[in-house]
Amino acid sequence: MNTFFSVQNIDNLQEIVKEALALKANPYAFKSLGQNKMLGLVFLNPSLRTRLSTQKAAMNLGMDVMVMNMDKDGWALETRDGVVMDGTTVEHIREAAAVMGEYCDILGLRSFPGLKDRKEDYSEDLFNKFIKFCNKPVISLESATRHPLQSLTDLITIIEHTPVTSKEANGTFTTVAHKPKVVLTWAPHVKALPQAVPNSFAEWMCKAQEEDLLSFTITHPEGYELDESFTKGATITTNQEEALKNADFVYVKNWSSYHEYGKILVTGREWMPTVEKFKVTNQARVMHCLPVRRDLELASELLDSPASLVIKEAGNRVWAAQAVLKRMLDQLV
Amino acid sequence: MNTFFSVQNIDNLQEIVKEALALKANPYAFKSLGQNKMLGLVFLNPSLRTRLSTQKAAMNLGMDVMVMNMDKDGWALETRDGVVMDGTTVEHIREAAAVMGEYCDILGLRSFPGLKDRKEDYSEDLFNKFIKFCNKPVISLESATRHPLQSLTDLITIIEHTPVTSKEANGTFTTVAHKPKVVLTWAPHVKALPQAVPNSFAEWMCKAQEEDLLSFTITHPEGYELDESFTKGATITTNQEEALKNADFVYVKNWSSYHEYGKILVTGREWMPTVEKFKVTNQARVMHCLPVRRDLELASELLDSPASLVIKEAGNRVWAAQAVLKRMLDQLV
Amino acid sequence: MNTFFSVQNIDNLQEIVKEALALKANPYAFKSLGQNKMLGLVFLNPSLRTRLSTQKAAMNLGMDVMVMNMDKDGWALETRDGVVMDGTTVEHIREAAAVMGEYCDILGLRSFPGLKDRKEDYSEDLFNKFIKFCNKPVISLESATRHPLQSLTDLITIIEHTPVTSKEANGTFTTVAHKPKVVLTWAPHVKALPQAVPNSFAEWMCKAQEEDLLSFTITHPEGYELDESFTKGATITTNQEEALKNADFVYVKNWSSYHEYGKILVTGREWMPTVEKFKVTNQARVMHCLPVRRDLELASELLDSPASLVIKEAGNRVWAAQAVLKRMLDQLV
């Protein structure tokens, strides 16, 4: 694997989930694989989980890690081509990426969207240029439109918490996983947030649905439709209660409008998931990528209940990152 | 040891000092102990000595380290419970702590007091929540009311520099440590500083006095009385000259008022320790936790003289941290 | 080697270039040399290449590394002696340097000039105090007047890309390096930049010229003369076209005036190197220390052409740093 940017970089979801869970069971089994290999993590935006879990994953594999807070410790980047750089940007992404490629064997990059110009954000121009010019395998640590390490983590967490049942046929017992109903629900927020996490979650769940691992439903207020290229195959409804019925996993996330780009259309506080609302579910587990705003996006009572998977989910970020890094290292040798 | 937050986490002071000095003599003796163990250092405030010495200590033990400048690289933390998070805080300490606990085997946290609300600061709410929710051993890297790694360092430095004399009785020679007089003196400053360092130093020295290792005196201008729970057993006087008489170690530190919380009551420039003032001491060594403001808190002539232990003291921060980390690692296995 | 601050710390340039290229060929050959040795990198200013390449070099040698962003994560430093520290500076360089020396075996420091007071900048007061008080070997990561890791890198890159020819005499073949013409040309910029890189490049190239490795020419607009102590032996001209004739390597760099200290005297956009201007060269390779402002300092067409060495040059920063660190480690043992 040369790039980990979207679900399209993974052929078989079940397989990589299996690999990740094997690493979770045995974190240091490949400690010699990363010997003398350098991971560079480049942040243009804040990060807690991604920063720490990806470092941890790399160290588990024996890699060295360097973290670059480009926005604070480095230089302001230019991404446009053909401009005379006589303004405030100090270094072009072409050189910055190429130079970091000289020092690292694998690079990770986080870059949030501006949420002003949809075409620009969705072109993933900065990310594509980084991939092109650094000349090394690149892991997305969240780009303008996707957060694949989070989505892989989410899938791992869902599969890990899906009960397996034993079935008898003609005297032979086989274990069969229950096919869970997974629901992505929009939730209120006070700030305009990117669509990266819901886009990414949707494209991973749609593919998991194709692989017959689960069924996938999205619910949000009118006007919050995501870009259709991410949601193909999903059941989509603006009726949250309907969506929650018999749900096994409920993924809670706010996002700003895609169609009226970057706008907050409704305050929508009635969309906040609560224990009461969860009564129609199949004792659903609640998930969130974090950070979560308590009692705005998600009721504390739910977050602090046994239904919540958010901490275990965050913990699984290590194994998602480690599975991806391992695949890249395997190819480097 | 599961928490290192105050002197109460240490049963026997002499013992941990001995352990620290053994590590100083042989820094890499336990390099395999920390193999595949992760230390996370979380800073909500600036740090030089603590940041570097604790990293160094962990690496000496073979641990991996991740540093998180929460105030700059992460998200603004909420600590209050039961609030709707629709303001400026992005993540609750409950989740932030729990998530970091997922990635680390031991955590360190630095968090300064606000110096506005004494009750809030002295409740150590943030720290206690961090300990509770991270679910891992926690080392204080300085909290609102204490700085225990500094105080352990100070004790190590005092014992290390206390002359040992040989005594004869009935033809048998035994070595006897001189019982030094240790003085904590308030010193002037232009900013309102926390009471964490003097509180902590006081509680460690009071316990050391109980263990018969030294005698302990505190001197400060009127109005600068520390919280009595930290100073029980100490001789306290507002007469600096009286306090300095026959002192063996003089610990210099500014703090703002505890009773008129966070206030600077007097400019008190006459309280600055000088060579002249030290003439009444027993050729005392001068100590300070650093950073020190020259010729405001402490006369340069004293700081640059052989009486000064401040650099060796700072160097000893490594062995204090390493002794604490080693105890925690011993329990993890 | 106890200090790496200027070309004067290197006896024989050819030798250290040879060592660096040997490390490039075999990066991990000395991985045990740095075992249990700590490198501390202290930044008072932003850094990308220096930060990452020096970390990488140290890790290649098996060292541990701690990075300290003194300007952000630590305390504001005082450098003047004899002042009462009752202002905004929190810690004196005397203590800060000494303390970091306690935790590290080798230290690196980056500190840019203020460009206000030439005498102060050129005294290198901060750097000299750091060296004096830390009591450990120190590598300059760029000081007010020099950037020696960059200059060593540049020399490595020039020698690496200088064609070697085979010569016959009396039936014996010997390989002879072509003696390249190296040109440093001033280039336009919108900000007032330090003279550190051109000073340093000049003093290294002048010494390389003395060692008969190359010939060295400097060209700049009138008023941009560098301090003569750095340029002794160089051919200096204000005629850029003349300078570029038959050049093999063209080093492009902006700097502010030394004589009218820190001033931008001319916009000088006609000084930007282009493909057209390069026609008089001997198919010269173009070099730059980066970050470079495209189409202001240097034409994109040239930067993106095969003539450009800038990325390979940046890559070589690792081997320059590793050669210097290795020499220091050799002396520590």
Side-chain angles (χ1 to χ4, degrees), chain C residues 145 184 194-203 216 218 226 230-231 251 253-255:
Chain C
T145 65
L184 165 64
Q195 295 101 36
V197 169
N199 278 347
S200 201
F201 186 74
E203 70 173 6
F216 182 48
I218 305 174
L226 295 166
F230 294 95
T231 61
Y251 199 85
K253 185 75 188 85
N254 171 268
W255 61 89

Side-chain angles (χ1 to χ4, degrees), chain B residues 28 31 46-49 51-53 55-56 59 69 72 190 269 290-296 303-304 311 314-315 317-318, chain C residues 36 38 64-66 68 70 72-75 83-92 94-96 98-100 102-103 105:
Chain B
Y28 310 112
K31 190 116 191 189
S47 170
L48 169 60
R49 273 151 288 275
R51 180 187 298 271
L52 298 184
S53 63
Q55 279 185 72
K56 172 70 177 151
M59 288 168 169
N69 296 309
K72 294 181 203 82
V190 287
R269 300 246 170 156
L290 304 183
V292 61
R293 291 191 173 228
R294 290 179 160 253
D295 293 315
L296 173 64
L303 205 48
D304 297 333
I311 302 305
R317 291 289 306 271
V318 175
Chain C
N36 293 334
M38 181 65 79
D64 288 321
V65 186
M66 300 192 292
M68 183 73 207
M70 199 66 198
K72 295 182 204 78
D73 307 337
W75 310 101
V83 296
V84 175
M85 285 175 60
D86 58 0
T88 54
T89 57
V90 174
E91 178 145 36
H92 201 283
R94 284 169 177 262
E95 277 75 50
V99 165
M100 291 189 274
E102 290 283 318
Y103 306 143
D105 299 288

Side-chain angles (χ1 to χ4, degrees), chain A residues 141-332:
Chain A
L141 307 173
E142 186 171 346
S143 72
T145 66
R146 287 168 177 93
H147 193 354
L149 283 175
Q150 181 63 51
S151 307
L152 171 52
T153 300
D154 297 332
L155 183 62
I156 293 168
T157 309
I158 287 168
I159 290 183
E160 205 183 13
H161 290 87
T162 295
V164 175
T165 51
S166 203
K167 213 160 87 177
E168 197 245 331
N170 304 326
T172 316
F173 285 85
T174 47
T175 55
V176 181
H178 166 72
K179 202 169 107 182
K181 179 181 179 183
V182 176
V183 178
L184 165 64
T185 180
W186 184 90
H189 207 283
V190 286
K191 280 184 64 182
L193 298 190
Q195 295 101 35
V197 169
N199 278 347
S200 199
F201 186 74
E203 70 173 5
W204 283 71
M205 291 305 122
C206 287
K207 178 153 174 157
Q209 186 174 254
E210 278 172 38
E211 288 190 19
D212 213 34
L213 298 172
L214 47 82
S215 77
F216 182 49
T217 300
I218 304 173
T219 183
H220 53 68
E222 259 182 76
Y224 281 98
E225 292 76 19
L226 293 167
D227 178 352
E228 286 181 16
S229 60
F230 294 94
T231 62
K232 221 172 296 168
T235 304
I236 303 175
T237 169
T238 57
N239 184 334
Q240 194 187 35
E241 191 185 343
E242 189 59 35
L244 292 179
K245 263 185 203 155
N246 298 316
D248 295 290
F249 297 92
V250 179
Y251 199 85
V252 181
K253 185 74 189 86
N254 169 268
W255 61 89
S256 63
S257 175
Y258 170 74
H259 290 287
E260 296 188 45
Y261 193 64
K263 289 235 159 55
I264 297 180
L265 304 180
V266 293
T267 57
R269 301 247 170 156
E270 67 279 7
W271 274 77
M272 181 178 78
T274 59
V275 168
E276 180 62 30
K277 284 184 182 172
F278 263 50
K279 285 186 174 158
V280 300
T281 69
N282 181 28
Q283 299 184 47
R285 314 298 298 265
V286 66
M287 300 174 70
H288 191 288
C289 62
L290 304 182
V292 62
R293 291 192 173 228
R294 287 177 161 257
D295 292 317
L296 173 65
E297 288 177 82
L298 190 48
S300 299
E301 47 168 14
L302 204 49
L303 206 48
D304 297 333
S305 79
S308 172
L309 287 178
V310 300
I311 303 304
K312 287 180 179 172
E313 186 184 353
N316 279 340
R317 290 290 304 273
V318 175
W319 320 114
Q322 198 167 333
V324 170
L325 284 169
K326 183 175 174 299
R327 284 197 175 188
M328 287 183 170
L329 285 172
D330 281 334
Q331 277 207 339
L332 282 184

Side-chain angles (χ1 to χ4, degrees), chain A residues 29-80:
Chain A
F30 299 94
K31 190 114 190 190
S32 61
L33 187 64
Q35 215 59 25
N36 293 333
K37 295 282 181 269
M38 181 65 79
L39 174 67
L41 298 179
V42 185
F43 291 96
L44 304 183
N45 305 95
S47 170
L48 169 61
R49 274 150 287 276
T50 301
R51 180 187 299 271
L52 298 184
S53 64
T54 313
Q55 278 185 72
K56 171 72 176 148
M59 288 167 169
N60 285 352
L61 290 164
M63 297 185 82
D64 287 321
V65 186
M66 299 192 292
V67 178
M68 183 74 208
N69 295 309
M70 199 65 198
D71 50 337
K72 293 181 205 81
D73 307 337
W75 310 101
L77 288 185
E78 180 61 62
T79 58
R80 295 167 299 165

